Amino acid sequence: MRAFKRHAGICLAAGFLAFLGGCASRGGAPAELELAGLTEPVEILRDKHGVSHIYAGNEHDLFFAQGFAAARDRLWQLDLWRRQGEGKMAEQFGPRFVEQDRAARLFLYRGDLQAEFASYHPRGQAILTAFSQGINAYVDHVRAHPEQLPEEFRLTGTLPGYWSPQTSLIRLYGLTRNVSGEVRLARQIAALGLNAVQDLSVFEPPIALQIPAGLDVRQIHPDVLSQYRLARDGQDFTAADFPGSPLAQAQRAELAERLSAARVAALDPSLRAEATRYESNNWVLSGQRTATGKPMLAGDPHRAITMPSLRYMVHLNAPGWNVIGAGEPALPGVSMGHNERIAFGLTIFAFGDEEDLYVYDTNPANPDEYRYAGRWEPMRALDETIAVRGQQPVSRRLKFTRHGPVIFEDPASRKAYALRAAYLEFPGTAAYLASLRLNQARNWQEFVAGMQRHYTPSENMVYADVDGNIGWFGGSIAPIRPRADWSGMLPVPGDGSFEWNGYLDPASLPMRSNPPEGYIATANEYNLPQDYPYREMSGRTWAEPYRAQRIHEVLGSVQGATVQTLQQLQYDTVSLPARTLLGYVRHLDSADAGVGQGLRLLKDWDARMQADSAAATVYAFWLPEIVERVTALYVPPQARPVLDKLSTVKVMEKLALPDSAFGPRPQQGRDALLVAALGDGMAKLQARLGPDPRQWEWGRLHHIQFEHALAPLLPPERARAWASERYPVGGDNETVLRATFRQSDFRQVSGASYRQVIDLANWDDSVAQNVPGQSADPRSPHYKDLLQGWAQGEYFPMAFSRAKVQSQLADTLTLRPAPR
C-alpha cells in the first residue's frame, strides 16, 4: 500500500476533493500528497481549463505523475479500457464475460517484449513502468477510501484494478484495417457480382477487382468476424453483472442499460455504429503565408464525441522533456501538440493495410489441423486461465495458425479462419505510443526518424519547427503482398500460396518538406504523390474528398494568416456536395407547394451548413432521400443487407452522368428523382418542425448535448446538474466542421474530439479545445466546462511558458516521495 500522509495546513486524503479542484491554491495552501514510488517532488499545476501542467525533476517522476493525473480524472474509463483490452472483464463482472475475455486474449501481443518496449522509446519500458505505477498509486488511494470512488464503481459495487507496464500495449483499440472490409467486399461480390461491385465502388488508386485464386466468396461465413467483434466491441451489461450493487433489481437493469450505452464510448468511441469513419483535418502553413512570418499548424482529429472525452490534454516538463498536447488517457506522452522546437498533428492515413483474413481447409479426421503447403499442419494451442468473479477460475483454449489467431471455425464446411495482423507480430505497433519519440524530436531529421517507427495507426503527421520548416510524413506499416491477384481487399486461402514478403522499408514511406506552395493539408483523402513508386501497395478505401478540397480551396489563396484565420477554417461549414446539388436546382421546378418552398430556399443558399440556416435543414433532409433513391436504382433489395447505400461520391457521379438506370431519358429521369427526393424530404422536415420556415434553423435540430450515463438512477436535481446544456451546432458529415449526427434525433455523435492551432512565433499564443471536459467526474469543475466553447468556436490558451501557466492557474497539487 502506498503511503498517504496528512500535514498541518495541507489538503490530504480526507479532503480528496482537492484533487478534483476543490481545495487548492485559489483559496488556501496548495494541496500536497506523499506517495511511495516517487524520488523527488512533483508539481501538478492545473489551469482553469483542467489541463495538468506537470513539473518533475526526472523522467520517472514525470510519467508517474502523468499516470496519477490521468487516473484522478478518468479512473472508470481507464479501468474499462484495461479490463476489456486485457481480457479481464469476468474478474470484475462475472461469468457472462468469459467468452469475451477469451476473444480479447486472441489479440494480445505475444512477441519479444524488450524489442516492443524499445521500439517506442529507448527507455520505453521505464516510461511505461512509471506511468502504470502512477495509475496504481491513485487506485491504491481510492481502494483505501471507497467513498472517493467515482459513482460508476460505487453503483456497480466494483473496484478498480491495477496496471502493469504491458497494459498500455493493448492492440484492440488501434485504428487498423481492413479485415472487416475484406469480408464486406466478399459478401458484396457474392450478392451482386464482380462487375457490379466494381462499378458501384470507389477505389483509390484505381484497381480492377480480382478474386484471389482458390477463394470462393460464396463460402465466407457471415459470422466469421463474430469473435473479432466480440473482442473489440464487447457486450452489453445486464443487471446480473452487478450483484454487489446497492441498487434494487430494477435499478440495476436500468444501470446496465445506461452503462452499456456509454461503454464503447469510454473505450474506443470510433467503434460506435454512428461514427465508423476515422476522419480528421490537419494543415501546416509556412511563414510565407502567415502574418508572423513563422509557421502555424492546426489539427482536429475526428472521433465520436462522448462523455468522457476520448482525448486527454497534458503538459509534461522535466529534464529532456517539455511537451504539451493531447493523447489518450491510457497512454504516456502526447500524440499531437508541440515541444520547445517542433509542432506536430495527425490524421488517419489509409495507406497501410495491416490485416488479412486467411481461409483454411481443415482435416476431416482432425479439425485442429489445416492444410498448408500440401500437408496437414497442427494449430498451436494455448490454454488461458480466466479469473471469474464469485467462482473458481476457468480455462479456455486459444488456437493459432502460422498466420495468427483462429477467429472462426466452421465444422460443417470444414473451414477455419485466422487473422494475420501486422500489429500482432511486429514489435512497436501499439497505437500512438511511438509518439514518445516525437515528443522529444528537435528537428525534421529527428521527426522523420521517429515517424519511421510510428507504425500504428497509419498517420498523416504534419510538422513545423521554429526554424521555419514545414513537412508531412505518411507513417504506416505496410505488408508486401507479392502476387498480382492479391490486393489485400479480399480474404485469401491459407494454403501457403499467399504469403507476405516482409514489410515496406519505413525509409520508403512518403514525405514532403517545405513545398513551394507554402502549405500542406490532409483530411484522410487519397493523397499519395503521383510519382510515389509504391502506390499499388496502398489500401484502396480513403475518405471522401470534400473536406480536403474545401481546405485547399481556402488555404490556396490565404495570405497573412493568423491564429484566428485557422480557427475560422476549423469551423468552416461550406458543403461541397451541397454546392454540387445546387447546380441542379436552377433546372428544377414543381407544382407541389412543399417542393417549391424548398427550391426557393435552396436557390438563395450559399451551401453553408450554418446553425441559423433554414436552407441547410432543407438540404439535410434532401440528401438522404437522394442517396436512397440512387442506391435503389443500382442495388437490388436482396443485396441491400451488404450494400445498404452508395457513397456520396458515387451518388454524385451517377447524377452527373445519368445512365439508363434513370429511365429512357436519363437527364429528365435524374431531375424527376431529385424533385421526388425533395418532396419526401420536405414532408419529413415539416412533420418534425412544422410548416413555418422561421422554425427550420439547422441548429434547432442539429445539436450537441450530454447526459451522465447514470442519469436515470440519480435524484432529478443531481441528474440535471450532471447533464450538459444543449447547444446548436453547424456543419455536417462532409464539411470541414465535421459534425456527423444521428438521424433519429440529430444529436452530433462524431466530429472534432480535440482542436489545436499552434503558433510557432510564440508558443503561448497557441490555442486548443477539448470536449466536454478534462475530467470524467461530475464533482470536478472540469467535467463539462469546455463544451460551450467547443460548440461556439471559442478556444482556450495552450499555456506553455511557466509565466503563462501561472496566469491561467486554477489549483496546485504537489506530490512528494513518502518517507522510506
Side-chain angles (χ1 to χ4, degrees), residues 643-656:
L643 183 52
D644 61 334
K645 64 180 180 179
L646 299 182
S647 68
T648 304
V649 167
K650 185 58 64 171
V651 168
M652 296 300 165
E653 176 188 307
K654 295 297 186 184
L655 292 175

Side-chain angles (χ1 to χ4, degrees), residues 128-282:
L128 286 161
T129 299
F131 183 74
S132 63
Q133 288 172 343
I135 293 175
N136 290 340
Y138 190 82
V139 171
D140 272 341
H141 180 82
V142 294
R143 287 173 71 102
H145 302 275
E147 73 280 0
Q148 294 160 9
L149 282 166
E151 285 289 280
E152 293 91 340
F153 291 105
R154 189 181 68 81
L155 292 177
T156 58
T158 58
L159 290 171
Y162 292 98
W163 284 50
S164 76
Q166 290 84 11
T167 300
S168 293
L169 309 180
I170 289 170
R171 298 313 207 241
L172 278 181
Y173 307 125
L175 303 186
T176 50
R177 63 193 67 79
N178 70 330
V179 68
S180 297
E182 291 179 20
V183 174
R184 182 171 54 251
L185 186 61
R187 297 188 66 201
Q188 289 172 352
I189 292 171
L192 284 163
L194 190 69
N195 292 338
V197 172
Q198 180 84 58
D199 177 61
L200 298 177
S201 303
V202 177
F203 301 125
E204 299 172 297
I207 188 173
L209 286 176
Q210 294 186 69
I211 298 175
L215 176 70
D216 186 345
V217 294
R218 298 167 299 178
Q219 290 188 345
I220 301 297
H221 197 285
D223 296 328
V224 66
L225 296 181
S226 57
Q227 291 294 300
Y228 180 85
R229 291 185 178 125
L230 177 61
R232 284 184 169 250
D233 298 357
Q235 57 188 340
D236 289 344
F237 292 118
T238 70
D241 301 327
F242 312 132
S245 170
L247 300 174
Q249 179 69 20
Q251 289 179 306
R252 289 184 203 171
E254 193 160 11
L255 170 67
E257 182 179 349
R258 296 294 299 180
L259 289 180
S260 295
R263 176 183 49 80
V264 173
L267 299 168
D268 182 8
S270 64
L271 295 173
R272 290 174 55 176
E274 305 96 334
T276 55
R277 297 169 14 158
Y278 317 133
E279 300 188 359
S280 311
N281 308 313
N282 65 12

Side-chain angles (χ1 to χ4, degrees), residues 285-296 465-470 560-562 759-761:
L285 280 65
S286 73
Q288 72 190 65
R289 289 187 176 271
T290 69
T292 64
K294 288 286 189 179
M296 290 184 178
D465 64 36
V466 294
D467 298 323
N469 300 298
I470 66 171
T562 64
D759 185 351
L760 279 86

Side-chain angles (χ1 to χ4, degrees), residues 502-565:
Y503 299 91
L504 181 67
D505 185 341
S508 297
L509 289 166
M511 68 184 85
R512 296 181 71 197
S513 63
N514 296 324
E517 56 269 31
Y519 78 93
I520 301 169
T522 83
N524 319 105
E525 82 286 9
Y526 175 59
N527 65 342
L528 290 176
Q530 286 297 314
D531 60 353
Y532 182 58
Y534 303 104
R535 293 169 69 217
E536 295 307 312
M537 287 185 60
S538 170
R540 306 287 169 155
T541 304
W542 302 69
E544 296 187 340
Y546 305 115
R547 288 177 296 110
Q549 290 170 355
R550 175 58 180 168
I551 293 167
H552 284 286
E553 184 177 89
V554 173
L555 293 183
S557 60
V558 75
Q559 295 292 333
T562 64
V563 168
Q564 291 71 33
T565 305

Side-chain angles (χ1 to χ4, degrees), residues 453-485:
R453 289 176 174 263
H454 196 296
Y455 304 123
T456 61
S458 295
E459 299 284 16
N460 291 294
M461 196 73 77
V462 293
Y463 164 94
D465 64 36
V466 294
D467 298 323
N469 300 298
I470 66 171
W472 161 78
F473 192 102
S476 189
I477 185 167
I480 297 170
R481 298 174 176 89
R483 290 180 52 142
D485 63 341

Side-chain angles (χ1 to χ4, degrees), residues 216-476:
D216 186 345
V217 294
R218 298 167 299 178
Q219 290 188 345
I220 301 297
H221 197 285
D223 296 328
V224 66
L225 296 181
S226 57
Q227 291 294 300
Y228 180 85
R229 291 185 178 125
L230 177 61
R232 284 184 169 250
D233 298 357
Q235 57 188 340
D236 289 344
F237 292 118
T238 70
D241 301 327
F242 312 132
S245 170
L247 300 174
Q249 179 69 20
Q251 289 179 306
R252 289 184 203 171
E254 193 160 11
L255 170 67
E257 182 179 349
R258 296 294 299 180
L259 289 180
S260 295
R263 176 183 49 80
V264 173
L267 299 168
D268 182 8
S270 64
L271 295 173
R272 290 174 55 176
E274 305 96 334
T276 55
R277 297 169 14 158
Y278 317 133
E279 300 188 359
S280 311
N281 308 313
N282 65 12
W283 56 84
V284 59
L285 280 65
S286 73
Q288 72 190 65
R289 289 187 176 271
T290 69
T292 64
K294 288 286 189 179
M296 290 184 178
L297 182 147
D300 51 299
H302 303 167
R303 298 281 286 276
I305 305 301
T306 60
M307 179 182 276
S309 175
L310 171 69
R311 308 296 180 189
Y312 187 70
M313 285 192 70
V314 71
H315 179 191
L316 303 172
N317 189 300
W321 297 86
N322 192 9
V323 62
I324 186 172
E328 297 185 11
L331 306 174
V334 302
S335 54
M336 59 205 111
H338 73 82
N339 60 30
E340 293 171 329
R341 287 196 47 83
I342 78 164
F344 50 98
L346 58 85
T347 70
I348 288 295
F349 175 56
F351 176 72
D353 174 0
E354 305 99 333
E355 297 175 329
D356 274 323
L357 182 65
Y358 282 84
V359 186
Y360 306 91
D361 293 322
T362 55
N363 189 345
N366 182 358
D368 289 337
E369 294 182 342
Y370 61 99
R371 185 173 294 282
Y372 184 84
R375 60 182 179 83
W376 296 115
E377 185 165 300
M379 297 177 186
R380 180 170 61 91
L382 178 65
D383 292 324
E384 286 274 319
T385 299
I386 298 175
V388 184
R389 185 203 64 218
Q391 65 181 57
Q392 292 299 310
V394 298
S395 180
R396 287 293 184 271
R397 174 157 292 188
L398 311 182
K399 298 179 184 179
F400 301 83
T401 71
R402 62 171 50 230
H403 297 118
V406 176
I407 61 173
F408 190 77
E409 295 178 81
D410 183 7
S413 62
R414 294 199 295 271
K415 298 288 184 184
Y417 300 81
L419 177 72
R420 185 170 191 185
Y423 53 85
L424 295 181
E425 63 184 48
F426 200 85
T429 48
Y432 298 113
L433 270 177
S435 297
L436 286 167
R437 291 180 180 270
L438 304 187
N439 292 180
Q440 291 187 297
R442 303 186 62 79
N443 52 50
W444 173 250
Q445 291 74 26
E446 292 180 11
F447 168 81
V448 168
M451 285 304 300
Q452 288 176 353
R453 289 176 174 263
H454 196 296
Y455 304 123
T456 61
S458 295
E459 299 284 16
N460 291 294
M461 196 73 77
V462 293
Y463 164 94
D465 64 36
V466 294
D467 298 323
N469 300 298
I470 66 171
W472 161 78
F473 192 102
S476 189

